[in-house]
Amino acid sequence: MITKDSINSAYCFLHQKFRVYEYSTDEMQKDDIEFAISTYVDGMNEALYNELSKGRTEFLQSHQTFAADMQEAISFLEQQL
């Protein structure tokens, strides 16, 4: 079950972290944000993650697709608010 609170919490966390990530020029800071998001995803509402990821096991977990995944997740969550 996906609650409005879980959507709101995920949106706030991802949005805040991505705003720092997208303007950062410090690769270590970006890596730290990727780690924080990965850790958050591991404990996030499972139903919500399944909706966000559309079955992709590496969603928000892969360095190569992280920025695009974040934009997709934030867009999806904004539509749910």
Side-chain angles (χ1 to χ4, degrees):
M1 177 177 185
I2 302 172
T3 65
K4 198 73 163 173
D5 286 343
S6 66
I7 292 169
N8 191 45
S9 293
Y11 174 78
C12 289
F13 187 74
L14 296 179
H15 184 268
Q16 185 265 341
K17 293 295 183 196
F18 188 64
R19 291 299 165 242
V20 174
Y21 182 89
E22 73 179 331
Y23 294 108
S24 179
T25 57
D26 183 343
E27 290 303 316
M28 286 183 60
Q29 182 181 39
K30 286 184 167 190
D31 288 344
D32 288 345
I33 291 170
E34 288 183 32
F35 179 76
I37 296 299
S38 178
T39 302
Y40 180 82
V41 164
D42 288 341
M44 126 187 284
N45 178 301
E46 189 174 340
L48 179 56
Y49 181 73
N50 288 336
E51 285 289 319
L52 286 172
S53 69
K54 298 178 181 121
R56 294 172 283 174
T57 57
E58 293 293 315
F59 189 73
L60 296 172
Q61 308 267 346
S62 170
H63 178 73
Q64 289 76 21
T65 61
F66 183 77
D69 290 351
M70 284 290 285
Q71 291 172 327
E72 182 180 336
I74 290 167
S75 177
F76 173 83
L77 292 166
E78 281 177 345
Q79 294 172 12
Q80 304 306 307
L81 293 174

